[in-house]
């Protein structure tokens, strides 16, 4: 399993959230942790590298400038080698203890979503709850996604499907979730929603007034992109659990990459992704505008 954590100006919150996440992942054999610093203006990359110095199978990828949460997650997914790929927010607003439930859902679905609207375990202020409901209604009408919660920052994917979906995605901002899920629907992937415990943490980077207009624009683009990017119709889901070992998904060891080296090779073509199987060759590379660098200890021993 690979866990991708996008982080923008999180130097103050990482010292308490990363140790909690690291302790959980230590108990899961073969777990990989990737923190993607999205061009922070504080010491996010340095703090993360220090905290992960002695954590096996961990790394920090630093982007030279801020590209958006969607771009950060896409780059992390491109670098991930786990048979399951999870992304979650740096503030651990979603309870990491629910991670096994999310992974278990991949036994019968290619995509598993943590949902704050299912069950009664989400602690949110009234304004954020109302805003989430309004955005969900817009999503249902514009993109035809019959999902209770598209925006929860706690999602899991099977390896091959994650590579296809994020290789096709183009949204860089907070609306990237809708685009990825819309692409998943177009490809015929099964999507499971799992009730998770969630507690709103102070200091988040999302601002309703600032980011909502951009998210609405990304909704419209997501609808057009999903229709154009998957012209061949539904894809054939991969078998689960995979018959191949982890080494078949990608390298898990070896020398660290230089600081100025990209995270991976070129992205798959839409036609290859639409054909129904995992894209040939290695994982996709991020867009040229978001060339990552490795920061600090690349991997633990």
């Amino acid at each position: 399993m690979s866990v991708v954590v996008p982080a923008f100006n999180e130097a103050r919150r990482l010292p308490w959230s990363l140790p909690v996440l690291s302790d959980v992942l230590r108990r899961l054999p073969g777990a990989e942790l990737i923190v993607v610093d999205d061009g922070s203006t504080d010491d996010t990359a340095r703090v993360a590298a220090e905290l992960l110095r002695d954590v096996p199978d961990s790394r920090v990828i630093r982007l030279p400038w801020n590209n958006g949460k969607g771009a950060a997650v896409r780059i992390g997914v491109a670098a991930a080698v786990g048979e399951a790929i999870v992304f979650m927010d740096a503030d651990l607003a979603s309870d990491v203890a629910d991670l096994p439930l999310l992974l278990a859902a991949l036994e019968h679905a290619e995509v598993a979503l943590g949902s704050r609207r299912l069950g009664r375990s989400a602690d949110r202020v009234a304004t954020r709850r109302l805003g989430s409901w309004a955005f969900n209604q817009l999503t249902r009408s514009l993109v035809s996604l019959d999902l209770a919660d598209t925006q929860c920052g706690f999602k899991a994917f099977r390896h091959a499907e994650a590579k296809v979906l994020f290789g096709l995605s183009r949204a860089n901002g907070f609306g990237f979730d809708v685009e990825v899920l819309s692409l998943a629907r177009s490809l015929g992937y099964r999507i499971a929603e799992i009730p998770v415990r969630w507690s709103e943490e102070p200091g988040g980077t999302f601002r309703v007034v600032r980011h909502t207009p951009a998210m609405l624009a990304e909704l419209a683009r997501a609808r057009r992109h999903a229709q154009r990017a998957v012209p061949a119709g539904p894809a054939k889901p991969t078998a689960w659990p995979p018959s191949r070992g982890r080494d078949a998904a990608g390298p898990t060891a070896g020398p660290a990459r230089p600081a100025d080296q990209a995270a991976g090779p070129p992205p798959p073509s839409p036609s290859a992704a639409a054909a129904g199987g995992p894209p040939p060759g290695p994982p996709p590379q991020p867009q040229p505008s978001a060339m990552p660098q490795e920061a600090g200890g690349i991997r633990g021993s």
Side-chain angles (χ1 to χ4, degrees), residues 119-130:
R120 299 180 179 273
S121 300
D123 180 16
R124 312 187 72 186
V125 298
T127 53
R128 293 292 293 270
R129 190 184 298 272
L130 179 61

Side-chain angles (χ1 to χ4, degrees), residues 180-252:
V180 167
L181 296 175
S182 181
L183 288 166
R185 275 283 192 251
S186 297
L187 283 165
Y189 294 156
R190 295 165 295 180
I191 302 175
E193 290 193 88
I194 309 301
V196 294
R197 290 162 289 186
W198 195 90
S199 178
E200 190 162 329
E201 300 294 335
T205 57
F206 178 78
R207 299 291 180 268
V208 174
V209 175
R210 176 183 175 187
H211 294 115
T212 296
M215 289 178 68
L216 294 177
E218 286 187 342
L219 275 182
R221 286 195 296 268
R223 179 180 180 179
R224 295 194 300 269
H225 181 53
Q227 293 171 343
R228 294 197 302 262
V230 194
K236 180 181 179 181
T238 57
W240 190 265
S243 57
R244 61 184 181 177
R246 188 179 180 207
D247 288 343
T252 58

